[in-house]
Amino acid sequence: MSDLNELAREIRGIKGDVFQVEEWCSPYKIPALLALIHAEVSGALEAFRRDDRENFAEKLADTLFRVLDIAGGLGWQGPADFDAVVRRKLEKHRGRGYHHGGKRV
């Protein structure tokens, strides 16, 4: 299976770097891309409400594409490549229990 970095490169290749993220500090680019992620998640919610499982799955895939687009566009300008960041986060989750029960809504 491909790692997340390879998937990000493939997605960006198909899209032609339309949403190129030049730099982390861009006051408009990152917020705009995050809003597009929100739009895809909202689309998934609407598909769920309509009991449209196929469109729901597609919207989840679109959400992943948008996340990887940001990671790929940054080239990953973080502490490590994005695949490594996700794997480290996965390890953190393996070592902790369920934290969301019993909280006030």
Side-chain angles (χ1 to χ4, degrees):
M1 183 176 155
S2 299
D3 71 11
L4 295 175
N5 300 314
E6 290 177 25
L7 287 172
R9 281 190 292 277
E10 185 174 348
I11 289 164
R12 295 187 64 69
I14 291 168
K15 292 174 61 179
D17 295 343
V18 173
F19 296 107
Q20 182 64 40
V21 181
E22 292 85 14
E23 60 183 86
W24 171 252
C25 297
S26 172
Y28 304 109
K29 189 66 83 162
I30 298 292
L33 293 172
L34 291 172
L36 291 172
I37 291 170
H38 185 275
E40 298 297 354
V41 171
S42 294
L45 175 60
E46 289 305 311
F48 173 79
R49 288 176 174 162
R50 291 189 310 272
D51 197 27
D52 184 348
R53 291 175 186 236
E54 184 176 339
N55 190 250
F56 178 79
E58 287 183 10
K59 290 301 177 184
L60 290 181
D62 288 339
T63 301
L64 179 61
F65 291 170
R66 296 286 188 188
V67 170
L68 291 175
D69 187 36
I70 292 174
L74 289 169
W76 189 257
Q77 298 173 10
D81 63 73
F82 192 62
D83 189 73
V85 170
V86 171
R87 291 178 190 281
R88 275 196 313 275
K89 185 65 175 177
L90 183 60
E91 286 303 313
K92 283 184 180 180
H93 281 275
R94 282 190 180 118
R96 67 183 205 194
Y98 184 72
H99 289 276
H100 299 289
K103 292 184 179 176
R104 293 178 66 173
V105 178

